[in-house]
């Protein structure tokens, strides 16, 4: 039996990779399926781990120099660790090689050669083979998670470090299926192939519920693929119940004073909803609260245009559910804040100004939803009228610019907050002096 204190000392030596030259002298061979070597973490204390298809078809040997006195010993250790290793006596020395007779699978080995130690582990694949005959969708699957039951077995593959730590081997089993993914740049749902890597099949597979009808395919494992014997099984067609919705919103009459959807009324906004295959019930919801406990409007169309004419804060979202109503989804919430009304009138302008914006008489306003303006001369003759507060008077009557002097306006208007405006005042048209 190897001294436990010596094992700890050798463990740190191996971590420093001094065992690498020794590893090259080890040979693990098979007459049928080539053993697969995987690199263990340095903390395991092992120089190598070998996955063999059939332990009865394996021979293990270690190179020796022909001129040495064959000062070599072999030990084997179980999951308890190398501190409990037992010496192996049936070693055959033949033509410069030390051969192990009748190796055991799922076992660790130690080679002591001229004062150096090498540790490796042999995994017998057939004792935990990937043997799956089919897959089925569990009836316990729901809107968020799909459970796939396995017809067959693929137990956990594992080995143990020299200190007895169990280390699981990733079989790299792959589950593939189709789903939908929101593409925010293209503003659409696109179909994608989803692949989920699975280390082992010691239990059912849990995966995100796909957003479209699909077939699940399970393939593996990486060791069978390396040996040219991959197994692939398919489920029956899965009809999804999961739903997801997304939405975009844009203002058709941009408010230059605000980069948000809201700002000044009237605010006309286009709402466009997008949804996945199983989304049967769909509606746009507009509420006065962000929790949508006070929904004031519902629209069953996927795309709507709505004009906000009253001040206050509003919240809009696109909502969807499947036919049974057991799976639901909501888009992001759009906040629309409509400010209080304001209406102010300038008292002068000049149609001959070099500044384009100063050539027209315009009101300054916010959230005005009804508007009428009439402009008169001093004799009470109406020269101009308009109903859009964004408009204005360019100082012309019947196509000709009027002369300088005083003119008058009469305005009636209503704000989004219900405030009424009755304004009267004078407009002074100024003549600018010519300047170089």
């Amino acid at each position: 039996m190897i001294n436990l204190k010596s094992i700890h000392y050798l463990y740190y030596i191996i971590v420093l990779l001094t065992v690498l030259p020794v590893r090259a002298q080890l040979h693990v061979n098979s007459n049928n399926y080539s053993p697969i070597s995987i690199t263990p973490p340095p903390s395991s204390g092992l120089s190598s781990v070998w996955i063999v298809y059939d332990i009865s078809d394996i021979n293990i040997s270690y190179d020796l120099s022909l001129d040495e006195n064959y000062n070599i010993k072999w030990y084997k250790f179980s999951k308890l660790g190398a501190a409990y290793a037992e010496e192996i006596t049936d070693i055959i020395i033949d033509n410069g090689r030390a051969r192990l007779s009748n190796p055991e699978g799922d076992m660790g080995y130690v080679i002591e050669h001229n004062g150096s130690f090498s540790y490796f582990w042999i995994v017998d694949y057939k004792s935990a083979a990937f043997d799956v005959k089919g897959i089925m969708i569990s009836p316990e699957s729901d809107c968020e998670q799909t459970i796939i039951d396995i017809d067959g077995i693929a137990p956990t593959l594992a080995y143990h470090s020299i200190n007895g730590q169990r280390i699981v081997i990733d079989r790299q089993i792959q589950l593939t299926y189709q789903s939908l993914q929101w593409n925010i740049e293209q503003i659409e749902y696109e179909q994608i192939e989803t692949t989920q890597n699975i280390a082992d099949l010691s239990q059912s597979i849990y995966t995100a519920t796909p957003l479209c009808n699909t077939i699940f395919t399970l393939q593996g494992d990486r060791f069978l693929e390396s040996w040219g014997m991959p197994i692939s099984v398919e489920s029956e067609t899965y009809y999804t119940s999961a739903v997801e919705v997304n939405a975009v919103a844009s203002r058709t009459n941009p408010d230059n004073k605000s980069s948000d959807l809201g700002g000044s009324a009237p605010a006309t906004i286009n709402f466009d909803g997008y949804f996945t295959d199983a989304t049967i019930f769909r509606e746009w919801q507009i509420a006065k609260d962000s929790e949508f406990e006070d929904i004031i409007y519902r629209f069953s169309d996927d795309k709507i245009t709505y004009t906000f004419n009253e001040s206050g804060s509003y919240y809009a979202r696109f909502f969807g559910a499947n036919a049974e109503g057991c799976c639901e989804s909501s888009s992001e919430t759009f906040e629309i804040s409509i400010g209080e009304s304001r209406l102010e009138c300038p008292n002068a302008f000049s149609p001959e100004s070099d500044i384009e914006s100063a050539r027209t008489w315009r009101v300054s306003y916010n959230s005005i939803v009804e508007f009428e303006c009439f402009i008169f001369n001093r004799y009470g003759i109406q020269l101009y009228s308009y109903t859009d507060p964004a408009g204005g008077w360019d100082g012309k009557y019947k196509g000709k610019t009027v002369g300088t002097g005083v003119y008058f306006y009469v305005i009636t208007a209503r704000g989004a907050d219900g405030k009424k405006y009755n304004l009267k005042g004078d407009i002074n048209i100024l003549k600018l002096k010519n300047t170089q």
Side-chain angles (χ1 to χ4, degrees), residues 33-50:
Y33 303 103
S34 298
I36 299 171
S37 176
I38 62 175
T39 303
S43 59
S44 70
L46 300 170
S47 60
S48 61
V49 173
W50 295 87

Side-chain angles (χ1 to χ4, degrees), residues 309-374:
N309 284 315
E310 297 183 6
S311 62
S313 293
Y314 301 87
Y315 302 88
R317 71 179 182 183
F318 190 50
F319 174 84
N322 64 354
E324 294 76 19
C326 57
C327 299
E328 300 177 349
S329 177
S330 297
S331 72
E332 67 170 300
T333 297
F334 302 98
E335 182 176 359
I336 304 98
S337 295
I338 306 299
E340 296 181 350
S341 66
R342 177 181 62 85
L343 181 60
E344 298 173 354
C345 304
N347 64 357
F349 77 109
S350 175
E352 299 178 354
S353 174
D354 292 336
I355 303 173
E356 183 178 356
S357 61
R359 297 175 196 160
T360 303
W361 183 85
R362 287 189 174 90
V363 300
S364 175
Y365 70 98
N366 189 66
S367 292
I368 297 298
V369 295
E370 293 180 8
F371 179 86
E372 277 190 323
C373 176
F374 301 91

Side-chain angles (χ1 to χ4, degrees), residues 23 46-47 56 77 148 205 336 370 372 376 398 428:
R23 177 182 175 184
L46 300 170
S47 60
S56 64
F77 63 94
I148 299 177
I205 302 172
I336 304 98
E370 293 180 8
E372 277 190 323
F376 303 90
K398 295 184 178 181
N428 293 278

